[in-house]
Amino acid sequence: MNVSRRTLLKAGLAALAVPSLAACNNGAAARGEGEVIYWLWDSAQLPMYTEAAKVFHEQNPQYSVKIEQYGWGDYWSKLVTGFISETAPDVFTSHSAKYPLFADKGQVLAIDDFVAKDNVDLGIYQKGLADRWVGADGKRYGLPKDFDSEVYFYNSAFTEAAGISPEQLNAMTWNPQDGGTFEEVVRRLTVDAKGRRGDQPGFDKNNIKVYGLGYGDAGGADGQTSWSWYAASNGWKYSEGEPWGTKFFYGDPKFTDTIGWWRGLITKGYMPTYAQAKSGVDITTSFGAGKYAITPNGSWMLGTYQTLKGVQTKLARLPIGPIGKRMSMMNGLADTIWAGTTRREASWAWVKFLGSQTAQDIVAKAGVVFPAVSASLPAAKAKFAANGWDVTPFLETVEAGDVFPYPANPNAADVSAVMTPAMDAVLSFDSPLSSLAKANDDVNKILAANA
Amino acid sequence: MTAVTNAPPEKRSHGDQAPPKPRRRLGDLKVAMVFLIPATIGFVVFYIWPTLRGAYLSFTEYSLLEAPKFNGLDNYERMIHDSFFWNALGVTLEYVAINIGVQTVLAVAIAMLMYRLTKSITFRAAILLPYLVANVVVALVWYWMLDFQVGIVNQGLTWIGVDPVAFFGDSHWAIPTVAGINVWRHMGYTALLVFAGLQTIPTYVYEAAEVDGASELKTFWRITLPLLRPVLVMVLVVTMIGSFQIFDTIAVTTQGGPINSTRVIYYYIFERAFTRFDFGYASAMAMVLFAILAIVSLLQLRLLRAKESDLA
């Protein structure tokens, strides 16, 4: 070999240096000026957004969109890593639980100027939705793309066997003292190992074959799919100044009474114990296996319930509570722009397009979510109906305005770090209801410290 | 922390050649550098630098999205009053005790069986199989199998007349369940390490024992275990460090719950750093974990006299 060691050493160092230098390039310069990178987490919506991107490119040939999809579990940590390393996507799907913190840290772009400049009509959206994306600082951070609400998904074979009609299911009442007709229905739907119903003599609450009511978790700080509508229809509010809570009310008797009644269903044998409910893959799997007669859930789960082949699933309204009406949480998603984007105009053009009826018609036709634009809703309804779903129970509360927002908060992660274990402990009867007052104090301390 | 093994320099075996003239020492150094540089760069970039930066960040308030602000020992002071931190340490210790205890006993037992009963390569490969499956996959598959209502394990329990167990949902069962899953995954691998250690024990000591009429059990306690000690210590140190760092199984199954019963220290650090953006505090906890691991490893090496073998 003629090559000297020195040359080898130099070559070796050079070889090492090349990839490390190349790695410094975050890729922003490598793509075209008009190319926007867009992230979403729902794989079921990927085809619609791919189609929307195609239409967008046809209408705006100077811009194009590259869509990347990551599952919910990876999505947020990947996004945060992207913020830090300045490689975040230009536009991404955002959630009301998450964007307040991003806004607080200056990671998402306020779009007020764009909205004003282009005269975007915010009246085309479902009532109240656009305002969800106005942050605590009064600035707007996104245009709504869809919305969701909650109902009961029930196993119609079980209700028929129990002699409960759809009319009965859709006219249930509830109160925190005796649970109203809702509890009667749940009691009747609960069947023990010997086939005796909850309202029949000899019912063995310790050996249950089918639970009347299922639940996925203790609900944490929001209770979105577990207890939120009971508490709301009992006249309870999460916080002072919804949705931007400055002081929470988890110690309020209206709330603790609700939770006390709810966890009482476990004692009565109508719901599985907390350990049993949490020791499962998830609530829909158990429902699909015929273990639950009724499971509350959100509209985004329609697709999942559709895949449960072993059961006949139908939808029923939430019960009317002490305040005399049904209440549902209404939450939704929006597309937000990363503050560090180098393509503001292109990003805004894409966000504006996704917020338009043209784009939402495409989304609606697939029948996966409810579009935020009211005029696009009939298309979604039609598609859901074609899939065998009568989605009226989801839409009634929304159309009547009997909805309440997701408890948004820049400290949402800290709040749920307190409330999740606290609710878990109450539901598993490890802590008394009164412990919620202490948890509420902890939550308010966090808010006061960060105010 | 890396384990350094000092292999004695082997004698050159080219008997027919004259031994090479002693070279200038620096001449070797240059070549040695070339070979060392890649590893050193990796070590500095991926270990030393992050460790130093982590140590620095542990003295700051750092939300990841804003520049770190120096705040002295505040994070460490907070830690003393943070009941979640102490709970996390307790839960981690419980996990390590169950995981390492059960795993080591089973690994030694399996290794002994392999050593005394079969030398079959197929068997050795089979015993390693769980280790070849990715952690997350193992956790998910067990999560399904241990489901309270539809899982196969609880179906089996019902058939033999045992009440189903809420493996992941009951706060008393959750940590033993997670520990058990990881024992299942790692025991084969650990057994192979122990098995390799067994093979270093010379057969003449066993022959002598046999001549003296020692029973199988006595041979194990008096000969195998003492002579296995140096290998066993290494295995213990390495598996224990790994065990303290339990994260993935928790992240894909219980995520810290029910209540706080599986919020192990690594998971708590992750939560603080990446979901609550409290990176400074998370770094401080990571430094404490680092110190704990260093002390535990040193103690083990010291107390169990890892350097000496009873053979000498």
Side-chain angles (χ1 to χ4, degrees), chain A residues 66-120:
Chain A
K66 193 171 159 230
I67 302 179
E68 294 172 17
Q69 181 259 331
Y70 302 99
W72 170 270
D74 298 329
Y75 189 85
W76 301 103
S77 45
K78 249 185 125 60
L79 192 63
V80 172
T81 325
F83 290 155
I84 302 161
S85 59
E86 313 227 308
T87 54
D90 303 297
V91 182
F92 59 93
T93 308
S94 198
H95 188 274
S96 40
K98 306 278 184 178
Y99 93 89
L101 178 67
F102 297 157
D104 194 45
K105 304 287 181 201
Q107 294 300 319
V108 286
L109 199 66
I111 55 169
D112 300 80
D113 295 345
F114 287 122
V115 171
K117 189 187 74 186
D118 288 359
N119 256 325
V120 176

Side-chain angles (χ1 to χ4, degrees), chain B residues 115-175:
Chain B
Y115 188 57
R116 304 296 281 181
L117 296 179
T118 171
K119 297 248 154 91
S120 145
I121 294 283
T122 326
F123 187 73
R124 273 185 235 173
I127 228 149
L128 199 60
L129 271 182
Y131 189 71
L132 302 179
V133 186
N135 258 342
V136 171
V137 176
V138 167
L140 281 178
V141 168
W142 277 102
Y143 196 52
W144 274 88
M145 294 201 301
L146 296 176
D147 184 292
F148 184 80
Q149 289 167 329
V150 296
I152 189 165
V153 174
N154 276 318
Q155 291 290 342
L157 286 180
T158 319
W159 279 329
I160 58 169
V162 179
D163 281 340
V165 179
F167 288 102
F168 284 103
D170 188 313
S171 41
H172 305 292
W173 273 102
I175 276 289

